[in-house]
Amino acid sequence: MVGQAGPSEGDVEYAQLVAELAAFRSGPLRGQPSNRALAEAVKVSPTTVGDWLCAARFPQQVDLLLALVHAVRGKAVDARLAEDTAVVRLLDEGRWRRAYRAEAARRAAGTSRAVKAAQGRTALGEMRPGRPLSEVTDPFHLEVHHAIGSPVAGLPPLPAYVPREHDHELADLVTTAISGSSRIAVLVGGSSTGKTRACWEVLDLLREQREPWRLWHPIDPTLPVLAELAHVAPYTVIWLNEAQNYLLAPDQHGEPLAAGLRNLLSAPERAPVLVLATLWPKYWDTLTTRAEPDRHPHARELLDGHKIKVPDAFTAVDLARLTDDTDRDPRLSEAAQHARDGQITQYLAGVPALMDRYEEAPPATKALIHAAMDARRLGAGPKLPLDLLADAAPGYLTDLEWDRTDGDWLLHALEYVSTACKGIPGILTRCHTGAPRNQRRRRDQRAGPGPGAGQGLLYRLADYLDQHGQRSRADLIPPIDFWTATAAHARPADLYVLAHAAQDRGLDRDAAQLLKRATAHGDSRAAQALVRQLHVLYPDDHRPGQWAVAHIALDDPRVAARLLDCLWQADADELVTSLAERAVSRVPLDHPEAVSELLNKLLEMGAHEQSLTLLARDPATHVDLNNPIAVAFLLKSLQRAGAEQQLTRLLARDPAARVCLDNLRTVAALLRALRGIGADEQVTSLAERVAAHAPFEDAPTLAHLLETLQEVGAREQAVALLARDPATHLVVDDLYSAAFLLSVVRKIGVPEQVTSLAERAVASAACEDLRAVARLLVTLRRVGAHEQAAALMARDPARHASLDDTEAVALLLNTLRRAGADEQLTRLLARDPAAHACLGDPRAVALLLENLRRAGADEQLTRLLARDPAAHACLGDPRAVALLLESLREAGADEQVAVLLARDPATHVALGNPLGVAYLLNSLWRVGAGQQVAVLLARDPATNIAIGRDNIMGFVLNTLRKVGARDQIARLAERLPAAGQFTHFIGISDHQERFRFGREADGGPAAPWSWDDLE
């Protein structure tokens, strides 16, 4: 029977050819040509190309298949791989014709498409990351917490599940993915709140689908996850439990991985892909908060807007639902009876028992746990070497405790911490260090030792105790033994981040030792930091530079450029010359952005001879032309170097015809670079490609591209792009972006597109979002879309404003005033917002006062002040009280200022927020409320505030100086080093001189040390 026969030789030939072609493109060709480029060559859609390459569909004409193979051959020629024997065999057209005919004959013989798709997926299974979801049956392999035990026999491994609000939100997102759109969900909550369990439960929705899904769980973030990402196929779940281990990886892979995930999620030809990630709130803040320098831009863009909050406790509704299910599972009944404050999931995960074990641990055992807590909170990865913990632990004991510790203390401690608590794993769990289980390898992956090989025993700290340590030990600096143990035993990937933790706490000698060892392992970041640190102390000692140069591999031009800069700044001229000569003759030339950085650094240092040597290696011929922004950087660098011959060669390779158009912002950067060097033909060629083929991604990106086309003199192409009627294709759900695009289209001068876009924006405008409506109204009038502006005004947006939201009303007043929407402003004021203001919210009242004053609404201002807001404001939030105090002062409401001060806000405000306390101190000082300043300082905010980011603490210290609070500055200074704020500590009093060589862990100044003291 046909249905029972095994695959024929021809069948294997076709599936294997497809698999090999896809692997060749993803591997040696680095993902080129892209699906979009192949689609242009074959004249089909990118989705069709993607389906062909994962065997989901079969080309209906052999000529289309051969055109695709021919396009891949073109890239192979460019990469100088076309003459390789294996590549010649892979791209042999005769072989493809024979395989195609055999496949077509089988299909004509009656093999069903469903059976054929299943066979194709099986043949391609080895090159696709992950496993079929049907084979993923063990939740604990995906790091779902074990549950407490029960004397009742026959219970399933996990307790019955009680869905909560976040589960419904997650299910809605997964349903969207099932419909064919790629999505990411980031569940954010504390340890043991049910994040991973929620992700596990939602997989049931995917298991029910006709199209089989796969699940890929990159078990160890140190593996080449980024390389595997290129092989992820549609219908794949990417499981990133504790996503900080991937996105905050200490080996600099976090940002490239985030960028890769963004590209994957935005590629329609690879949809649907579902990313399920979990994060603690602390790591969510780190990855999504913009800071200077901006270390996580790609991670922030990846995560922003995709947060699903998982609460710490069950609500009353959740508890009622739990009670209904207690008969099904005695573990739920136990949790319902004994869990405190609704923390059901924590109880089920054994947290109370775990905490009891921790609190009752003997001194030496607790010291081992504290060493693990400190290692994790200071940046070490989740797998902790036992040698590190064992050597660090004695430093946590008092002399008396150490004297009473017997020689078998480590054996007893390990037995204690690894003992299960109520059926769940213990405080420390031993990690397996071999190769990951059940993970397929592609042929291009070489076998080798698994991660952790050769590092001795590794242990993992229980998640909840990890989080507990982050909070409870935040103000403590580990003892000297901890730092010497980390320098001797920490995993190489952790050394650099631990060195930073030491330096942030003033432990300069320990930091240098960690950096020296990290440099020995080839960490280029550590090498740079080591040179900089020692140069400050000993400008004439170039041995750190020699160490760095001796241990850093020159396999990346950027590494060479940055180390050269450090050595140059350190006046190590001989080392600069030596490294420059080695670098220019050895670095690879395939990454144009990296080559550009090295060339720029050579030019900046005046290393003309070395720059000529680099240029003589002909980088213009070797660099990959796929990335537009990288090509743009190289063009600028070559122009700066006056390398006309290299510019000519690079342009002769026709980058305008070959760069990928997937990211239009980088394409815009290349257009500007081409214009800057006068390559007008390339500008025109690239602009024409953009006009004909650029995808309509979103309004801001399209507006940026159109602006660039206008700037580089490609107005004709901008008009051609607009002739494709993007206004019809774009989703105009962001009125701010629509307004920006309208302005750009108006400048280009395509009135019909202005009209079309204006009509769509007005039609989709939600009058409840009055700030966006006001912005759109201003833009409509500016671009001459008066008819559409009138249509928007006819909907009377001011009538839709809810006067119950005082802050929103205040911000709307400001927007309408700035937009010149006088009619709408009058209507809003006529509704008497002053009478509806919530007087208990001091921030909202402050904003309303300010904007009524700016709008000249004196009558409303008087009515609001007559309601005595100072007497009704809640006094808990110091920043909100400060805002109200300032607004009352600026409004000239001196009586209200007096009323507010008479309520003694300095006594009532919370002291946890450092920024809020500083704002209130400033405001009290400005209004001359010296007594209130004294009351607030007497409450000792320096001891009670939570120490925040660098810029916040700088503001707090400046405020304390302004109000003359010297004792508070001294008390805050005592806390700064342990919180990683040594840079502020060193700027206080005589600390710069006293702590020239850093601090010791006990707080005293470090004795002088030098390179000779480092091991």
Side-chain angles (χ1 to χ4, degrees):
M1 293 177 61
V2 173
Q4 295 175 336
S8 68
E9 183 178 351
D11 190 29
V12 173
E13 171 87 291
Y14 180 80
Q16 199 154 336
L17 273 176
V18 172
E20 290 175 359
L21 185 70
F24 178 64
R25 184 183 70 146
S26 300
L29 293 184
R30 300 187 177 185
Q32 294 302 310
S34 66
N35 283 0
R36 192 174 300 280
L38 288 173
E40 291 180 22
V42 184
K43 307 303 181 189
V44 296
S45 72
T47 302
T48 299
V49 169
D51 287 345
W52 286 353
L53 290 176
C54 69
R57 294 169 64 181
F58 182 69
Q60 297 303 299
Q61 300 176 38
V62 68
D63 289 341
L64 296 179
L65 179 63
L66 295 178
L68 184 145
V69 174
H70 181 74
V72 174
R73 182 186 292 110
K75 277 292 179 184
V77 170
D78 292 345
R80 300 183 179 181
L81 298 172
E83 295 181 6
D84 183 271
T85 303
V87 175
V88 170
R89 176 171 169 73
L90 173 63
L91 302 178
D92 179 13
E93 289 192 6
R95 190 179 178 203
W96 281 95
R97 285 183 185 276
R98 291 190 298 274
Y100 182 90
R101 282 197 296 268
E103 178 71 1
R106 267 190 320 281
R107 288 174 177 261
T111 302
S112 73
R113 183 171 297 181
V115 171
K116 181 52 29 190
Q119 292 173 342
R121 280 191 295 272
T122 299
L124 294 174
E126 290 195 3
M127 64 167 286
R128 293 173 55 186
R131 291 188 292 154
L133 193 54
S134 59
E135 298 177 10
V136 181
T137 57
D138 188 342
F140 307 122
H141 282 172
L142 295 182
E143 297 156 359
V144 175
H145 285 303
H146 288 264
I148 58 174
S150 171
V152 179
L155 291 174
L158 293 176
Y161 194 65
V162 180
R164 293 185 279 163
E165 183 61 33
H166 63 271
D167 292 290
H168 303 306
E169 190 176 348
L170 179 58
D172 290 343
L173 182 139
V174 173
T175 301
T176 303
I178 290 171
S179 69
S181 301
S182 292
R183 288 291 184 269
I184 176 173
V186 189
L187 278 70
V188 180
S191 175
S192 304
T193 52
K195 304 182 296 297
T196 315
R197 178 72 188 275
C199 293
W200 169 259
E201 293 295 327
V202 84
L203 294 179
D204 286 343
L205 292 177
L206 302 176
R207 292 189 174 98
E208 298 167 357
Q209 302 307 308
R210 172 184 291 182
E211 183 68 38
W213 283 70
R214 298 174 70 83
L215 185 142
W216 177 40
H217 177 207
I219 292 184
D220 194 317
T222 63
L223 293 175
V225 177
L226 190 59
E228 290 285 324
L229 203 60
H231 299 277
V232 171
Y235 299 99
T236 298
V237 178
I238 301 177
W239 188 274
L240 299 181
N241 189 45
E242 296 191 27
Q244 72 274 6
N245 292 330
Y246 304 88
L247 301 178
L248 289 173
D251 53 7
Q252 292 184 296
H253 289 163
E255 274 296 279
L257 175 59
L261 287 168
R262 290 180 63 197
N263 288 333
L264 173 61
L265 291 169
S266 63
E269 67 274 13
R270 301 179 70 183
V273 170
L274 174 63
V275 179
L276 295 178
T278 68
L279 279 172
W280 290 354
K282 166 188 173 180
Y283 296 122
W284 170 270
D285 292 342
T286 298
L287 288 164
T288 58
T289 301
R290 190 182 298 273
E292 291 297 336
D294 193 356
R295 301 185 188 278
H296 311 293
H298 285 298
R300 184 173 59 254
E301 292 298 325
L302 172 70
L303 302 176
D304 195 31
H306 303 291
K307 177 180 180 180
I308 297 178
K309 184 177 180 180
V310 180
D312 288 343
F314 274 42
T315 65
V317 174
D318 297 332
L319 290 171
R321 196 177 296 124
L322 172 71
T323 303
D324 295 338
D325 288 343
T326 51
D327 292 340
R328 291 195 293 150
D329 196 314
R331 292 168 292 188
L332 294 185
S333 177
E334 181 181 340
Q337 293 177 31
H338 299 292
R340 295 181 178 179
D341 301 322
Q343 295 196 336
I344 300 297
T345 56
Q346 292 89 334
Y347 189 92
L348 290 171
V351 166
L354 199 66
M355 286 300 296
D356 286 344
R357 292 280 291 174
Y358 162 65
E359 296 291 353
E360 296 168 5
T365 304
K366 187 172 285 188
L368 194 76
I369 300 169
H370 285 163
M373 286 179 170
D374 287 344
R376 288 290 291 133
R377 72 184 178 89
L378 295 174
K383 296 180 179 179
L384 304 171
L386 176 59
D387 289 342
L388 187 160
L389 303 181
D391 282 2
Y396 290 80
L397 299 173
T398 66
D399 291 341
L400 180 60
E401 288 171 336
W402 181 239
D403 289 340
R404 291 177 176 176
T405 301
D406 60 34
D408 293 332
W409 73 269
L410 182 59
L411 184 64
H412 297 314
L414 285 176
E415 182 179 1
Y416 186 96
V417 297
S418 59
T419 299
C421 304
K422 298 196 71 174
I424 66 167
I427 294 170
L428 289 172
T429 306
R430 183 175 169 183
C431 305
H432 293 286
T433 57
R437 299 172 63 251
N438 294 322
Q439 297 290 303
R440 299 189 188 279
R441 293 170 180 250
R442 298 191 314 278
R443 287 186 297 275
D444 59 344
Q445 289 181 316
R446 298 179 180 178
Q455 295 185 26
L457 297 179
L458 302 174
Y459 280 81
R460 182 179 186 125
L461 179 65
D463 280 353
Y464 190 84
L465 285 177
D466 188 347
Q467 189 177 58
H468 177 72
Q470 307 267 1
R471 296 191 302 264
S472 64
R473 300 186 60 79
D475 287 339
L476 300 174
I477 293 181
I480 292 175
D481 282 357
F482 171 86
W483 298 103
T484 55
T486 55
H489 303 298
R491 304 180 82 191
D494 295 337
L495 289 167
Y496 177 72
V497 69
L498 288 168
H500 258 295
Q503 202 161 37
D504 289 344
R505 287 155 180 79
L507 308 176
D508 289 354
R509 178 172 174 174
D510 295 304
Q513 183 65 69
L514 288 160
L515 290 172
K516 183 178 181 181
R517 183 167 173 239
T519 301
H521 284 279
D523 191 320
S524 61
R525 301 165 301 167
Q528 297 161 42
L530 181 66
V531 172
R532 290 194 189 100
Q533 181 186 4
L534 271 295
H535 176 67
V536 172
L537 293 176
Y538 299 101
D540 297 328
D541 188 349
H542 297 313
R543 286 177 294 175
Q546 293 168 357
W547 181 268
V549 170
H551 289 90
I552 298 304
L554 297 178
D555 53 2
D556 185 341
R558 282 169 294 205
V559 169
R562 293 166 192 177
L563 184 53
L564 277 170
D565 181 65
C566 289
L567 296 171
W568 184 47
Q569 299 291 342
D571 298 322
D573 296 339
E574 291 184 8
L575 289 173
V576 168
T577 302
S578 172
L579 179 59
E581 289 175 350
R582 285 176 54 211
V584 297
S585 61
R586 297 185 186 182
V587 295
L589 302 178
D590 50 345
H591 293 298
E593 190 172 359
V595 173
S596 170
E597 185 171 341
L598 176 57
L599 181 57
N600 283 338
K601 182 51 59 181
L602 293 169
L603 294 172
E604 182 184 353
M605 296 188 306
H608 300 297
E609 183 177 340
Q610 288 80 11
S611 64
L612 291 174
T613 302
L614 180 62
L615 293 171
R617 292 179 60 200
D618 196 14
T621 301
H622 293 85
V623 294
D624 182 0
L625 297 183
N626 175 56
N627 187 343
I629 192 69
V631 175
F633 279 132
L634 183 57
L635 285 169
K636 292 177 181 177
S637 297
L638 291 174
Q639 183 187 38
R640 180 184 176 191
E644 296 296 334
Q645 186 177 14
Q646 281 290 293
L647 277 172
T648 301
R649 289 188 182 182
L650 183 54
L651 295 174
R653 293 179 62 197
D654 198 9
R658 299 170 66 176
V659 294
C660 180
L661 301 183
D662 289 346
N663 188 329
L664 295 183
R665 290 187 179 272
T666 62
V667 172
L670 178 55
L671 280 166
R672 289 193 178 95
L674 290 168
R675 175 70 170 179
I677 65 171
D680 295 338
E681 291 184 7
Q682 284 284 293
V683 170
T684 301
S685 173
L686 181 55
E688 288 175 351
R689 278 187 68 205
V690 167
H693 303 294
F696 298 136
E697 296 178 356
D698 53 66
T701 301
L702 179 60
H704 179 71
L705 178 62
L706 287 168
E707 268 194 323
T708 300
L709 289 170
Q710 181 88 337
E711 290 174 12
V712 301
R715 182 183 178 280
E716 181 180 342
Q717 287 76 18
V719 172
L721 177 58
L722 289 171
R724 291 168 56 199
D725 195 16
T728 302
H729 297 87
L730 287 170
V731 177
V732 188
D733 56 358
D734 180 352
L735 297 188
Y736 290 99
S737 300
F740 176 42
L741 180 57
L742 270 169
S743 299
V744 174
V745 174
R746 168 67 173 166
K747 289 179 184 176
I748 294 173
V750 185
E752 60 273 15
Q753 275 293 300
V754 171
T755 301
S756 176
L757 184 59
E759 288 175 349
R760 290 202 64 210
V762 170
S764 63
C767 284
E768 292 78 11
D769 187 358
L770 289 168
R771 280 173 279 177
V773 167
R775 168 72 185 275
L776 178 60
L777 180 61
V778 173
T779 305
L780 289 172
R781 289 174 172 168
R782 186 184 300 135
V783 302
H786 301 295
E787 184 177 339
Q788 290 76 22
L792 182 59
M793 293 301 294
R795 294 169 62 185
D796 196 8
R799 179 173 54 85
H800 293 270
S802 171
L803 300 184
D804 294 332
D805 187 342
T806 305
E807 185 170 340
V809 171
L811 295 174
L812 175 61
L813 281 168
N814 181 51
T815 305
L816 291 174
R817 176 183 62 81
R818 295 175 63 186
D822 296 336
E823 183 179 348
Q824 287 292 305
L825 183 61
T826 301
R827 291 189 185 186
L828 182 57
L829 292 172
R831 295 179 60 199
D832 198 9
H836 294 82
C838 175
L839 299 185
D841 184 345
R843 171 184 167 83
V845 171
L847 290 173
L848 184 58
L849 281 167
E850 179 183 353
N851 287 292
L852 287 172
R853 180 176 58 81
R854 290 182 175 179
D858 296 338
E859 183 179 347
Q860 279 289 295
L861 186 62
T862 301
R863 289 172 66 86
L864 180 55
L865 292 173
R867 293 182 63 200
D868 198 9
H872 295 86
C874 294
L875 301 181
D877 182 348
R879 186 169 186 181
V881 173
L883 285 171
L884 180 57
L885 193 59
E886 293 284 356
S887 292
L888 291 170
R889 182 177 67 85
E890 291 173 5
D894 297 337
E895 290 184 7
Q896 283 287 291
V897 170
V899 170
L900 183 57
L901 294 175
R903 293 181 61 200
D904 193 15
T907 299
H908 295 89
V909 294
L911 297 181
N913 183 346
L915 200 58
V917 171
Y919 270 116
L920 183 56
L921 278 170
N922 264 304
S923 295
L924 292 170
W925 181 75
R926 273 197 290 266
V927 299
Q931 185 176 359
Q932 280 287 289
V933 169
V935 170
L936 184 53
L937 293 175
R939 292 180 61 198
D940 194 14
T943 301
N944 291 283
I945 60 174
I947 297 183
R949 298 190 301 272
D950 276 357
N951 56 338
I952 291 177
M953 298 317 297
F955 178 65
V956 171
L957 285 166
N958 287 335
T959 300
L960 291 174
R961 290 188 186 101
K962 181 190 295 184
V963 300
R966 294 181 180 178
D967 60 329
Q968 285 289 291
I969 292 174
R971 291 187 186 182
L972 185 56
E974 293 174 2
R975 297 181 60 202
L976 290 173
Q981 299 277 351
F982 189 70
T983 52
H984 289 302
F985 172 87
I986 206 71
I988 297 172
S989 186
D990 62 346
H991 291 177
Q992 184 77 46
E993 182 59 32
R994 285 181 60 209
F995 295 92
R996 181 169 182 265
F997 292 92
R999 298 170 89 240
E1000 291 293 355
D1002 63 5
W1009 57 272
S1010 69
W1011 179 258
D1012 294 321
D1013 295 302
L1014 303 182
E1015 298 177 4

